[in-house]
Amino acid sequence: MDDVARGDVEDLETCAREGRRPRDNGPYRVQIGDALFKFQPLVAPEASYTGRSLLELAELKPAEQHVLFAVLVDGLLEEIRLEETVDLREGVERFLAFHSDRIFRLLIDRREYHWGGPFISGATVLKLARESLAGHGVWQQAEGVEHRVAATQLVDLSQPGVEIFITRPL
C-alpha cells in the first residue's frame, strides 16, 4: 500500500500552523487557490517543484498562460516563475494561481502586494490585509480623494498607476 492510500501525507498547512518543519520526504499536501481564495488540496509526491510543475500538478494548462504566487506566512504574495524551483518544506503551504499574462501591483495600508488578475474586490483586499470582513472597510485613494470600496465591488487594476487601498475599522 502506498503512502497516499494509507493517509501518510504530510499536510504543509498543519506544519505551518504548528510551527514545525515538514518531514524530509513526501508526499505533501499543498493548497492551490484562485482569485476568490478557493483552495483545492493537492498531493505532491516530491519536496521540490518548479512553478510549471506545480501548475501542471493542479491541472492548470498550459502553464504559460498562468501566473503563480506563493502565499507567504505574513500574507504577502511572491511570484513563482515557471522555471523557478520551490522547496515545499521551506514554509510555503499555499499558492494562488491566475489564468493571466500580467501581474498587477497595488498598495494596501502602505504594504506592496502583487495580484494576478485585472480585478480585485473589497473583500479580497481585506483578506490580503488580514482584516475581518465584518469589522473593517476598504477605501481606495485616487488623486488625493478617498472613496469606499464595498466588499463585493470590483476595482479595475488594469488602469495606469498603482492602486492604493486603506483598511479601517468600521
Side-chain angles (χ1 to χ4, degrees), residues 44-55:
E46 306 298 325
S48 186
Y49 285 85
T50 63
R52 178 185 308 279
S53 60
L54 277 170
L55 289 166

Side-chain angles (χ1 to χ4, degrees), residues 95-122:
F95 297 88
L96 286 174
F98 298 86
H99 187 261
S100 180
D101 64 345
R102 2 195 110 94
I103 296 172
F104 300 91
R105 186 171 160 250
L106 56 126
L107 297 175
I108 304 173
D109 297 331
R110 299 192 308 182
R111 291 183 72 185
E112 182 179 3
Y113 291 81
H114 295 153
W115 190 245
F119 295 97
I120 194 165
S121 70

Side-chain angles (χ1 to χ4, degrees), residues 14-166:
T14 300
C15 292
R17 193 172 39 251
E18 295 173 353
R20 64 179 173 83
R21 181 169 164 60
R23 66 179 182 231
D24 287 334
N25 298 311
Y28 305 98
R29 183 171 293 109
V30 299
Q31 303 278 332
I32 297 186
D34 60 17
L36 299 175
F37 288 89
K38 293 186 339 194
F39 288 90
Q40 64 172 322
L42 299 171
V43 174
E46 306 298 325
S48 186
Y49 285 85
T50 63
R52 178 185 308 279
S53 60
L54 277 170
L55 289 166
E56 289 171 352
L57 183 68
E59 297 183 5
L60 298 172
K61 298 175 186 174
E64 294 81 7
Q65 293 185 14
H66 292 80
V67 292
L68 181 68
F69 293 94
V71 180
L72 304 178
V73 175
D74 62 4
L76 294 177
L77 304 179
E78 181 179 292
E79 180 190 8
I80 306 297
R81 294 179 315 277
L82 289 176
E83 303 313 320
E84 182 177 353
T85 301
V86 176
D87 188 331
L88 299 177
R89 300 166 296 189
E90 299 300 324
V92 178
E93 74 276 3
R94 295 189 321 161
F95 297 88
L96 286 174
F98 298 86
H99 187 261
S100 180
D101 64 345
R102 2 195 110 94
I103 296 172
F104 300 91
R105 186 171 160 250
L106 56 126
L107 297 175
I108 304 173
D109 297 331
R110 299 192 308 182
R111 291 183 72 185
E112 182 179 3
Y113 291 81
H114 295 153
W115 190 245
F119 295 97
I120 194 165
S121 70
T124 299
V125 170
L126 287 172
K127 181 96 170 168
L128 289 171
R130 295 185 164 197
E131 299 291 358
S132 78
L133 186 60
H136 288 79
V138 175
W139 284 261
Q140 183 180 11
Q141 265 186 355
E143 299 176 9
V145 177
E146 291 181 6
H147 67 276
R148 178 89 187 269
V149 177
T152 57
Q153 182 180 344
L154 295 177
V155 175
D156 185 353
L157 301 176
S158 67
Q159 299 304 308
V162 175
E163 277 64 38
I164 299 172
F165 297 98
I166 301 161

